[in-house]
Amino acid sequence: MSLTELIREAAEHHTDPRDIAAEVARQTPDQEVRDYYASALIGTVRRELSKYRNIAMDNVFDPKPETKRVRSAKLEQRRDWWADMCRSKLHVAGTWKLLGDCGLEDLTAAIVERREDAEQSLARADQYEALRGLLRSHKVRTVDRLPRSAVSGLFGGSKAA
């Protein structure tokens, strides 16, 4: 069974991601632990790379001393904010590159990707806002109490369902 399948199975029985992770860990065969661990780390690594890049970008566009991350004097001697920025890693058009190696097409692709991600997040926020309004208008406390007909257009469901 793949890591994704284990997660989906555990999610059928648990709500909290910590409980799901614990169940997946419990069910992971010993011989698969390293492969699953490497697979699971991808998201964490991406988030950390984004944090690092965002810190570097914040320092480029707002290089006030109070906004810079505190580093050791030794590390500060070897690096500066521009070098940090250029060494930051960026996901561009299905691959990873150093920001310093990016050209016009790379940056254009990065802009498009991030704007699409932002639009999807905003659209999801709009759906949650609509659900909140429906809770109020139908005078119910939880989403599962809403009539299906009230939410069918919100998530692309069929009104006949």
Side-chain angles (χ1 to χ4, degrees), residues 1-5 7 24 28 32-47:
M1 187 177 287
S2 73
L3 178 59
T4 301
E5 291 168 331
I7 292 169
V24 169
T28 300
E32 301 293 332
V33 168
R34 186 173 293 281
D35 289 340
Y36 285 3
Y37 183 60
S39 176
L41 279 174
I42 293 169
T44 302
V45 169
R46 287 181 78 142
R47 283 188 298 279

Side-chain angles (χ1 to χ4, degrees), residues 49 52-53 83-92 95-103 106-107 110:
L49 292 175
Y52 179 78
R53 182 181 61 252
D84 282 349
M85 175 93 171
C86 290
R87 278 194 298 274
S88 66
K89 293 160 184 69
L90 182 67
H91 186 262
V92 180
T95 190
W96 286 89
K97 297 183 89 166
L98 295 176
L99 182 60
D101 292 339
C102 289
D106 298 318
L107 293 174

Side-chain angles (χ1 to χ4, degrees), residues 57-108:
M57 289 185 80
D58 287 347
N59 289 337
V60 167
F61 295 109
D62 188 19
K64 296 177 194 162
E66 64 269 16
T67 63
K68 286 186 105 174
R69 194 169 68 170
V70 176
R71 298 179 191 225
S72 72
K74 188 175 183 181
L75 190 56
E76 280 296 335
Q77 289 172 0
R78 292 194 329 242
R79 292 184 172 172
D80 63 26
W81 58 267
W82 183 243
D84 282 349
M85 175 93 171
C86 290
R87 278 194 298 274
S88 66
K89 293 160 184 69
L90 182 67
H91 186 262
V92 180
T95 190
W96 286 89
K97 297 183 89 166
L98 295 176
L99 182 60
D101 292 339
C102 289
L104 186 65
E105 288 181 19
D106 298 318
L107 293 174
T108 300

Side-chain angles (χ1 to χ4, degrees), residues 19 27 48 66 100 121:
D19 296 336
Q27 289 191 29
E48 288 304 311
E66 64 269 16
S121 290

